[in-house]
Structures are given as structure tokens and as C-alpha cells.
């Protein structure tokens, strides 16, 4: 009895069942029976009508219990059943359907009432042990969905690994057990994806009761079903098993693990007082004989389990699965990284059954960026940009005028023209008063521009008469001569327009009636602007005009040229946007002062006197 107790304790350790309870037999002469509870291997499942056998879990570890040894020691094996939904143990009596074979109980075949708990009890005169296991008898509709062509299977598939481009022979699981109970050699039928042999090519074929693969490829993977048929006591019996075939990389490929990251001499940038993450990535080839593998970090030669510092933790994850060859990442997390951690040795290691590799990770402290200073600087920059945008949007005319005054070029020093502005307008009372009193007065007297008005400055004798009005001592007897013929007016118009830097067109409802002087001026300005670019045309809208009321030339000009709108009383002040906008379009004047307009006009009149004299000599201006 003494040697038996340690053996029982070892059995409990290996089986991993519940703590044994000691049950006392009714007869005081019977030995104490150790109840090991229910086996942790789980219940056995079987389809109704299929053959099944139960193996007593007491013999699952031969080092503890061996059937032959227990028989020699006088032990007997008894089977009991507790039917499903009941509590009373019923002894199992051997029959043609229920038979015992060594440590196994065969049900040939299984029926629905066989479901329940089965107890195998091993005893002799001095010792007793028992353990329970479950049996579930399933209907076929409980296993396979309706309409499926696959055969129903109650047990889990058996895995089978076949290297690509290589061969292997598959045997049906539990075939040897059926052979031991069969009166004649069993037969096996195979199927895959609802098809049986012959398969669609010669790479797979049945070989006796086995299935032989000659060349494995990817699309041969999947579930294969084998049904074993055998005869026992005149009964035809069968059971079906599933084999899950998975392709793996060829065995000729290297199976040694390789570290992908970190690279040699790679430096991890870390920050003090923050969390640091070190990633170790490696390829771990699958080894059929021993598929175990591991990827881990060590700190100063110690694994994290041996470190007392709780700031370190690691986690594994699979990044890629290529036919069982894995790409794995192990992430080492360091909470509250310290400066003295830089002096530690961090090593990443990987191993499998064929080899191992280790690599050190180098750490460098990352320079901390002044985030507060950068944020403040960025905020100030954005505010300044917004202010500049607002200032430019509101004061863009003033800024443009200021820029021109600093960097602009005075056109008087770059060309030989006589006038800054030639004003074209409708010859009626209101527009003429606006031109002579407002435009002319401000442009000449306030801004210092030399202005040419055809009716005032370019008629024959008009220059001498204008000069006499300013200085009576010059030509005291000058009187306006009679008007020249129309041909001379046309030539004079073209001449004075071409001698001006800007053509200012005052747009109003009565402007540019067909055949008028204003239309001639507009055509001359547009032609000079299009051909040589030496003249620019400015449109000043004195009164709103409907587009359909404009002549064709003015409609085209309004699309491409600058348009400055006069807004009545609002535009009279020299600080209004009208005058600022107009100054932007007019030539730049450097050092212009109020009061220079008169002297500029006098100089223009003197130049016109000389020009008119020349024109009279050449016949451009005819005498009456």
C-alpha cells in the first residue's frame, strides 16, 4: 500500500484534475477509493450510429498506471455509466454492442441513450481509484448544416503539415484502433471539397487506405474527410474523421531565425521622463519537429521576469504568417525613461529549434524641443500674418502708393512725351464742368500732372491764347483764330493722344456717340495701347451706364481696363479712395508739391506753341 500512494499523487499532478475526494465503501472491508473527479480532457463526441471507444484516463500516463502492470498486481477495471439527466451509477455489462478491450470500452455503434458520464474504476483488495469522462452522442443535423455536401464529423480535425513542392502520405486518424477491433481489414474512402477520387490531377491519389501527395501546392490545402468501414460480429460499422491539410514552406529553405530590426548599429532616440518603446522584429521559420519559438528582450543580460524594475514590460505579436513562417514583433516598453537607462545593455533575441540570434539596441537621448517657445512663436507669427492681411486688405491703396513713392520710376525721365494725362469726355455741360473744374483742377494744381484737354489746348491758336491768359504781357494782341477744318482736328487728336502717357476716358451716358470727337480719342488710345504699349487707358465712370448703351469699343475696353468710379460727394475729398485709386493708375510723380501744376502747365503750353508752329509750317494745321 505504501508505494501506491506516491503513484496516486503523481497521477493527480499529471492529469491536472480536481482534488481527489475519498469515498468510503459501504462494506467496511473494502479499501478507500480515490475519486479523481472528471477528466480535464473533455467529453468524447460521436455521431449517432458510428463506432466509438472510450479510453480510461487513468492509463493516459503509463509511468503511473500501466494496464499490464495493474493486471499483474491483481487490479480489475470496471465501467459505470451515469445516463444524461440522472445521478445513479449503473454498471456496464458486456454485450455484442458494448465490449471491453484492455483499458477501452467500445460502443458498436453509439446510440442517443449512450450520452452521459462514464466512470472507470481500478481496484484490487488493497487500493481503489476512479475517474469520470463524458460522452456526447450527436445527431447528424447538429454537426453539418442543412444542404452541405461535406460528411458530418463529430471530432475535431487532425492537423497535417505538408511542405510545398514536396510529398507526403496521409493516414486516416484512428485507423489502427479500428483494425484491432475489425474482423477483416477495414476500408477507407477519401473526399475533398465534396469530391472523391480520382482527383482532378495526378498529384494526389489514394494509396491503399492512405492518401498520397506527390507535389504539394497551395490550393491543395483544406479539410480532407476519411470514412473508415469495418466489420465486427457481423455488423457493418464506420466512423468519419477530418484531416486539416496546411502547406508550409519547403524544408530545403533555411530554418534559422533572423532579426530584421533593429539593424546593426541602429540607434533608438529616447526622451527622458517619458515612455520609450523599443521594437524587435524577426522572422521565425517553422520547424516541423519542434515548432516552439521565442522572441524576447534582456536588460543587462537578464530577462524581464528576473528584473525587479516594474517599469519594463514587453508584448509579442505576429505581423505576418507565410506558410507557418512567422514575422514576429516584440515591443519593449519602458515607463518613465531615465538618464541612467542609457548606460544599460538592451539586447533583442530570437530562437527556434534550429538556431538563435541576438542583437544589441543602441540608445541615444533625443534633444528636447522648446515646445512652449515654438508654440508662442508660431502663435505670434500667425497673429502678425493676420494683422498684415487685415492692414493690406484695408490700406492696400496707401501701401501701393507708398511703395511707388519709394521704388517707382518717374516716367518723365524715361520718355519724351509732353503730357501726363489726356482727358477724353463727352462734350456736354455736366461732364465738361466735372472735367474742367474737378479733374483738371485736382490733377494740375494738387497732384502736379500736366493735363491735355483737346478743346482747351490743341485747337489752332489755342496755345497762344491760353498763354496770353496766364501772362498778358506776352502777345498782347493775340486773338483766337477761326477753327480749323475737320481733317486738321483728326490729325491734332491723334498727335496729342500719342504725346500723352495716359488716356483718361470719362465714361457717362452720353459718351462716345458714333462719329464724335470722344470716339476718335478712344480709338486712338486703344490702338496706341495695343500696338506699342506706350500708352495706357484709364476709365473713370462719372455716372452709371448700362452695358448695352456703350459702343463696341467701350464695351471691350471695360472688360480689360482699370475702372475708377466717381461716387459724388463721397469722392470729392482728396483722401477718398477715388483719388487714391486714380493716382495708382496715373504716372508716378517723385517730389511733386502743391503749386507745381501751374509751372507744369506753362511749360506744356510753351511746348505746344513750338509744336503748333512746326505743324503750321508742315501743313498739318491749315490757316483759315
Amino acid at each position: 500500500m505504501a508505494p501506491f500512494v506516491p503513484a496516486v499523487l503523481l497521477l493527480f499532478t499529471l492529469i491536472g484534475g480536481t482534488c481527489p475526494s475519498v469515498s468510503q465503501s459501504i462494506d467496511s472491508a473494502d479499501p478507500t477509493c480515490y475519486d479523481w473527479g472528471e477528466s480535464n480532457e473533455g467529453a468524447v463526441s460521436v455521431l449517432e450510429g458510428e463506432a466509438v471507444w472510450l479510453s480510461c484516463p487513468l492509463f493516459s500516463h503509463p509511468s503511473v498506471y500501466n494496464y499490464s502492470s495493474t493486471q499483474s498486481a491483481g487490479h480489475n477495471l470496471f465501467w459505470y455509466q451515469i445516463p444524461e439527466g440522472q445521478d445513479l451509477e449503473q454498471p456496464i455489462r458486456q454485450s455484442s454492442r458494448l465490449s471491453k478491450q484492455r483499458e477501452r470500452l467500445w460502443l458498436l455503434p453509439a446510440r442517443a441513450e449512450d450520452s452521459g458520464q462514464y466512470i472507470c474504476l481500478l481496484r484490487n483488495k488493497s487500493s481503489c481509484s476512479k475517474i469520470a469522462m463524458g460522452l456526447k452522442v450527436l445527431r447528424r443535423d447538429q454537426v453539418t448544416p442543412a444542404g452541405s455536401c461535406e460528411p458530418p464529423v463529430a471530432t475535431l480535425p487532425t492537423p497535417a503539415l505538408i511542405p510545398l513542392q514536396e510529398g507526403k502520405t496521409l493516414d486516416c486518424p484512428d485507423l489502427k484502433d479500428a483494425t484491432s477491433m475489425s474482423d477483416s481489414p477495414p476500408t477507407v474512402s477519401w473526399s475533398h471539397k465534396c469530391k472523391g477520387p480520382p482527383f482532378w490531377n495526378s498529384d494526389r491519389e489514394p494509396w491503399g487506405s492512405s492518401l498520397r501527395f506527390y507535389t504539394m501546392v497551395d490550393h491543395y490545402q483544406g479539410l480532407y474527410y476519411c470514412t473508415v468501414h469495418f466489420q465486427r460480429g457481423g455488423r457493418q460499422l464506420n466512423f468519419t474523421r477530418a484531416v486539416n491539410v496546411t502547406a508550409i514552406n519547403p524544408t530545403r529553405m533555411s530554418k534559422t531565425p533572423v532579426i530584421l530590426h533593429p539593424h546593426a548599429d541602429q540607434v533608438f532616440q529616447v526622451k527622458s521622463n517619458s515612455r520609450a518603446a523599443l521594437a524587435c522584429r524577426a522572422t521565425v521559420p517553422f520547424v516541423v519537429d519542434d515548432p516552439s519559438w521565442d522572441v524576447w528582450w534582456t536588460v543587462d543580460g537578464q530577462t524581464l521576469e528576473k528584473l525587479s524594475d516594474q517599469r519594463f514590460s514587453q508584448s509579442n505579436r505576429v505581423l505576418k504568417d507565410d506558410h507557418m513562417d512567422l514575422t514576429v514583433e516584440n515591443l519593449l516598453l519602458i515607463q518613465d525613461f531615465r538618464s541612467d537607462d542609457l548606460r544599460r545593455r538592451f539586447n533583442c533575441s530570437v530562437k527556434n529549434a534550429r538556431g538563435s540570434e541576438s542583437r544589441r539596441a543602441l540608445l541615444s537621448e533625443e534633444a528636447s524641443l522648446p515646445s512652449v517657445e515654438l508654440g508662442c512663436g508660431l502663435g505670434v507669427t500667425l497673429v502678425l500674418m493676420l494683422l498684415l492681411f487685415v492692414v493690406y486688405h484695408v490700406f492696400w491703396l496707401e501701401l501701393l502708393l507708398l511703395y511707388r513713392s519709394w521704388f517707382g520710376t518717374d516716367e518723365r525721365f524715361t520718355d519724351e512725351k509732353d503730357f501726363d494725362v489726356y482727358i477724353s469726355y463727352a462734350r456736354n455741360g455736366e461732364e465738361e464742368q466735372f472735367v474742367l473744374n474737378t479733374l483738371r483742377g485736382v490733377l494740375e494744381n494738387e497732384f502736379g500732372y500736366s493735363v491735355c484737354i483737346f478743346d482747351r489746348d490743341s485747337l489752332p491758336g489755342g496755345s497762344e491764347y491760353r498763354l496770353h491768359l496766364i501772362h498778358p504781357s506776352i502777345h498782347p494782341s493775340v486773338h483766337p483764330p477761326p477753327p480749323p477744318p475737320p481733317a486738321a482736328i483728326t490729325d491734332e487728336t491723334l498727335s496729342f493722344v500719342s504725346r500723352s502717357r495716359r488716356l483718361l476716358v470719362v465714361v457717362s451716358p452720353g459718351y462716345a456717340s458714333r462719329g464724335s470727337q470722344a470716339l476718335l480719342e478712344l480709338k486712338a488710345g486703344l490702338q496706341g495701347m495695343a500696338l506699342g504699349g506706350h500708352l495706357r487707358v484709364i476709365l473713370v465712370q462719372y455716372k452709371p451706364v448700362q452695358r448695352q448703351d456703350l459702343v463696341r469699343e467701350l464695351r471691350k475696353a471695360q472688360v480689360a481696363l482699370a475702372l475708377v468710379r466717381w461716387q459724388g460727394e463721397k469722392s470729392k475729398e482728396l483722401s477718398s479712395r477715388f483719388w487714391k485709386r486714380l493716382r495708382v493708375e496715373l504716372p508716378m510723380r517723385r517730389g511733386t508739391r502743391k503749386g507745381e501744376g501751374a509751372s507744369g502747365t506753362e511749360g506744356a503750353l510753351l511746348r505746344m506753341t513750338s509744336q503748333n508752329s512746326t505743324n503750321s509750317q508742315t501743313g498739318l494745321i491749315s490757316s483759315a
Side-chain angles (χ1 to χ4, degrees):
M1 181 66 182
F4 177 72
V5 174
V8 171
L9 295 177
L10 178 59
L11 173 65
F12 168 70
T13 304
L14 296 175
I15 293 180
T18 59
C19 293
S21 60
V22 179
S23 60
Q24 184 68 37
S25 176
I26 298 177
D27 188 356
S28 59
D30 291 339
T32 302
C33 196
Y34 289 89
D35 186 0
W36 297 97
E38 188 171 357
S39 172
N40 62 349
E41 295 180 358
V44 176
S45 299
V46 64
L47 288 177
E48 185 177 8
E50 285 192 347
V52 67
W53 59 93
L54 304 176
S55 296
C56 181
L58 292 175
F59 300 97
S60 58
H61 299 279
S63 60
V64 180
Y65 283 111
N66 181 274
Y67 185 79
S68 300
S69 300
T70 56
Q71 291 298 307
S72 302
H75 288 83
N76 295 315
L77 182 63
F78 302 94
W79 286 90
Y80 297 86
Q81 180 193 13
I82 303 178
E84 197 170 27
Q86 300 182 20
D87 297 328
L88 184 62
E89 297 180 3
Q90 299 178 5
I92 296 177
R93 303 186 182 279
Q94 188 164 342
S95 64
S96 60
R97 192 179 70 88
L98 302 176
S99 62
K100 302 176 183 178
Q101 183 193 32
R102 293 174 60 88
E103 71 275 13
R104 292 179 178 175
L105 175 66
W106 284 79
L107 288 75
L108 303 171
R111 297 175 181 174
E113 61 268 19
D114 293 332
S115 294
Q117 193 176 60
Y118 287 77
I119 301 172
C120 61
L121 184 145
L122 184 66
R123 67 186 303 173
N124 62 7
K125 294 181 179 181
S126 59
S127 64
C128 176
S129 295
K130 66 177 181 178
I131 191 170
M133 61 185 302
L135 175 65
K136 293 181 180 180
V137 181
L138 305 174
R139 299 190 309 272
R140 294 181 180 271
D141 59 356
Q142 292 179 285
V143 177
T144 304
S148 175
C149 62
E150 302 288 2
V153 180
T155 59
L156 294 176
T158 301
L161 305 176
I162 305 179
L164 291 169
Q165 303 302 320
E166 298 181 20
K168 187 175 182 178
T169 301
L170 295 184
D171 293 321
C172 188
D174 301 328
L175 177 60
K176 293 182 179 180
D177 297 305
T179 303
S180 65
M181 291 295 294
S182 177
D183 296 335
S184 60
T187 60
V188 181
S189 59
W190 291 86
S191 66
H192 174 57
K193 295 180 180 178
C194 302
K195 294 181 181 180
F199 296 108
W200 55 88
N201 55 40
S202 59
D203 289 339
R204 296 169 297 171
E205 65 176 2
W207 188 265
S209 59
S210 304
L211 180 64
R212 176 169 291 185
F213 287 76
Y214 294 101
T215 304
M216 181 63 187
V217 292
D218 266 330
H219 60 268
Y220 290 172
Q221 298 184 96
L223 289 175
Y224 288 78
Y225 298 91
C226 59
T227 301
V228 179
H229 303 270
F230 64 99
Q231 187 174 359
R232 170 77 176 185
R235 294 185 179 184
Q236 294 293 333
L237 303 170
N238 67 81
F239 60 84
T240 302
R241 298 291 184 263
V243 180
N244 187 15
V245 175
T246 303
I248 61 175
N249 282 319
T251 55
R252 62 179 177 272
M253 295 178 60
S254 175
K255 301 299 179 182
T256 304
V258 177
I259 293 179
L260 304 177
H261 180 85
H263 306 294
D265 301 328
Q266 181 175 353
V267 178
F268 288 90
Q269 298 293 330
V270 293
K271 291 183 179 180
S272 297
N273 303 320
S274 62
R275 191 181 74 164
L278 307 181
C280 175
R281 287 191 293 272
T283 58
V284 185
F286 180 77
V287 180
V288 178
D289 300 335
D290 184 2
S292 62
W293 57 270
D294 194 10
V295 180
W296 73 98
W297 283 94
T298 59
V299 181
D300 294 334
Q302 293 183 330
T303 60
L304 300 191
E305 291 77 10
K306 297 180 180 179
L307 286 177
S308 58
D309 197 337
Q310 300 300 319
R311 296 181 300 120
F312 297 90
S313 62
Q314 63 181 348
S315 60
N316 275 332
R317 63 170 180 154
V318 177
L319 303 179
K320 182 181 178 182
D321 186 345
D322 179 20
H323 296 97
M324 306 290 286
D325 286 357
L326 304 180
T327 301
V328 186
E329 180 183 70
N330 182 294
L331 191 64
L332 174 63
L333 296 178
I334 308 173
Q335 304 293 340
D336 190 20
F337 190 88
R338 303 168 184 171
S339 299
D340 55 356
D341 292 332
L342 294 172
R343 295 187 292 272
R344 290 190 164 187
R345 291 181 292 107
F346 295 89
N347 288 310
C348 165
S349 302
V350 58
K351 73 172 182 177
N352 67 358
R354 296 294 177 85
S356 63
E357 186 179 5
S358 182
R359 186 170 297 168
R360 182 175 179 179
L362 303 177
L363 275 60
S364 175
E365 188 170 5
E366 182 179 350
S368 59
L369 295 176
S371 55
V372 176
E373 293 80 356
L374 287 177
C376 294
L378 181 60
V380 171
T381 302
L382 292 177
V383 171
L384 290 178
M385 291 179 62
L386 181 61
L387 290 176
L388 289 176
F389 175 78
V390 172
V391 169
Y392 178 78
H393 183 73
V394 176
F395 302 103
W396 69 275
L397 286 175
E398 290 81 354
L399 293 174
L400 188 56
L401 290 173
L402 181 63
Y403 176 82
R404 291 183 61 190
S405 66
W406 287 352
F407 305 104
T409 302
D410 195 333
E411 296 182 18
R412 291 177 297 180
F413 304 113
T414 60
D415 58 25
E416 297 180 356
K417 295 190 177 184
D418 299 322
F419 300 100
D420 292 319
V421 185
Y422 183 101
I423 302 179
S424 174
Y425 60 98
R427 272 62 174 178
N428 56 46
E430 187 175 358
E431 282 82 352
E432 190 167 8
Q433 183 179 7
F434 168 70
V435 170
L436 296 178
N437 293 342
T438 302
L439 280 181
R440 182 202 61 79
V442 173
L443 294 180
E444 288 184 345
N445 300 327
E446 299 296 335
F447 297 151
Y449 288 106
S450 57
V451 179
C452 178
I453 301 176
F454 184 83
D455 296 339
R456 183 195 70 176
D457 300 325
S458 62
L459 292 177
S463 300
E464 290 83 351
Y465 183 72
R466 178 61 179 166
L467 186 61
H468 172 70
L469 292 178
I470 299 175
H471 297 285
S473 60
I474 303 177
H475 304 291
S477 60
V478 171
H479 297 282
I489 292 178
T490 300
D491 292 340
E492 282 293 313
T493 300
L494 299 177
S495 174
F496 277 87
V497 169
S498 63
R499 290 159 54 194
S500 302
R501 298 181 179 90
R502 301 289 187 273
L503 172 62
L504 195 152
V505 178
V506 180
V507 181
S508 61
Y511 181 82
S513 300
R514 190 162 297 280
S516 66
Q517 172 69 16
L519 180 60
L520 175 63
E521 295 165 347
L522 176 62
K523 289 183 177 180
L526 294 177
Q527 184 178 10
M529 186 174 180
L531 295 179
H534 57 275
L535 176 66
R536 287 177 56 186
V537 180
I538 308 170
L539 302 181
V540 174
Q541 180 177 292
Y542 177 61
K543 288 184 177 180
V545 183
Q546 297 295 329
R547 182 174 176 81
Q548 59 269 18
D549 297 335
L550 300 175
V551 294
R552 178 171 56 86
E553 291 80 2
L554 199 54
R555 284 199 301 268
K556 293 181 178 180
Q558 196 175 22
V559 175
L561 301 179
L563 179 65
V564 185
R565 290 182 173 85
W566 173 262
Q567 297 178 346
E569 294 294 330
K570 187 178 179 180
S571 300
K572 285 186 177 181
E573 295 293 334
L574 295 182
S575 60
S576 67
R577 294 183 67 85
F578 172 80
W579 294 110
K580 294 177 182 178
R581 183 75 176 85
L582 188 59
R583 287 180 61 192
V584 170
E585 302 297 333
L586 293 174
M588 196 275 295
R589 278 288 173 268
R590 189 181 300 277
T592 301
R593 298 184 303 274
K594 181 176 179 179
E596 288 183 352
S599 61
T601 304
E602 293 177 10
L605 291 175
L606 290 176
R607 289 193 299 272
M608 284 191 297
T609 302
S610 174
Q611 181 66 30
N612 287 340
S613 301
T614 304
N615 291 343
S616 300
Q617 295 176 4
T618 57
L620 292 175
I621 301 178
S622 304
S623 59

